[in-house]
């Protein structure tokens, strides 16, 4: 049986990179890309554990995570495009000005 530690290490590094990107970036599109990176790192861990244990449960979770991520990207990008049309900026610091 193969060891999964390289996959889990890669998953942890990718998740950390995504978390750092979410915390340090101000551009909404880059923040969404970092969130997607975090979701994909979790998918990698699910698949690695599913392979180690010989179950398909991890791959089923990955399917649902990918479906939710696709919906999140569609809605999020639609919001970003709408905000860009009105404000001409995707800086998340300026989103507080949208309060009514």
């Amino acid at each position: 049986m193969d060891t999964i530690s390289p996959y889990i290490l890669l998953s942890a590094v990718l998740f950390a990179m995504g978390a750092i990107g979410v915390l340090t970036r101000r551009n909404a599109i880059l923040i969404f890309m970092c969130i997607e990176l975090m979701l994909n790192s979790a998918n990698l861990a699910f698949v690695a554990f599913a392979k180690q244990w010989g179950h398909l449960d991890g791959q089923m979770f990955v399917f649902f995570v990918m479906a939710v991520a696709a919906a999140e990207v569609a809605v999020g990008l639609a919001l970003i495009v709408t905000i860009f049309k009105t404000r001409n900026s995707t800086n998340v610091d300026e989103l507080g000005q949208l309060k009514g």
Side-chain angles (χ1 to χ4, degrees):
M1 183 177 286
D2 293 337
T3 178
I4 64 165
S5 34
Y7 301 110
I8 300 303
L9 180 64
L10 177 62
S11 174
V13 168
L14 290 175
F15 191 88
M17 287 172 53
I20 289 169
V22 166
L23 295 175
T24 59
R25 300 293 180 180
R26 294 290 131 220
N27 189 334
I29 295 174
L30 289 177
I31 291 173
F32 273 121
M33 287 174 59
C34 291
I35 290 171
E36 290 298 319
L37 185 64
M38 292 168 62
L39 287 172
N40 285 329
S41 71
N43 286 343
L44 178 62
F46 277 136
V47 170
F49 284 122
K51 183 180 186 311
Q52 181 186 22
W53 292 326
H55 295 291
L56 292 177
D57 297 343
Q59 284 137 357
M60 289 187 330
F61 279 121
V62 167
F63 175 73
F64 289 117
V65 168
M66 288 176 70
V68 169
E72 176 249 339
V73 166
V75 171
L77 286 178
L79 288 171
I80 289 172
V81 167
T82 304
I83 291 170
F84 183 76
K85 282 182 180 178
T86 59
R87 295 279 177 181
N88 290 331
S89 174
T90 59
N91 191 347
V92 294
D93 291 333
E94 297 175 4
L95 294 180
Q97 298 173 355
L98 294 176
K99 294 179 183 174

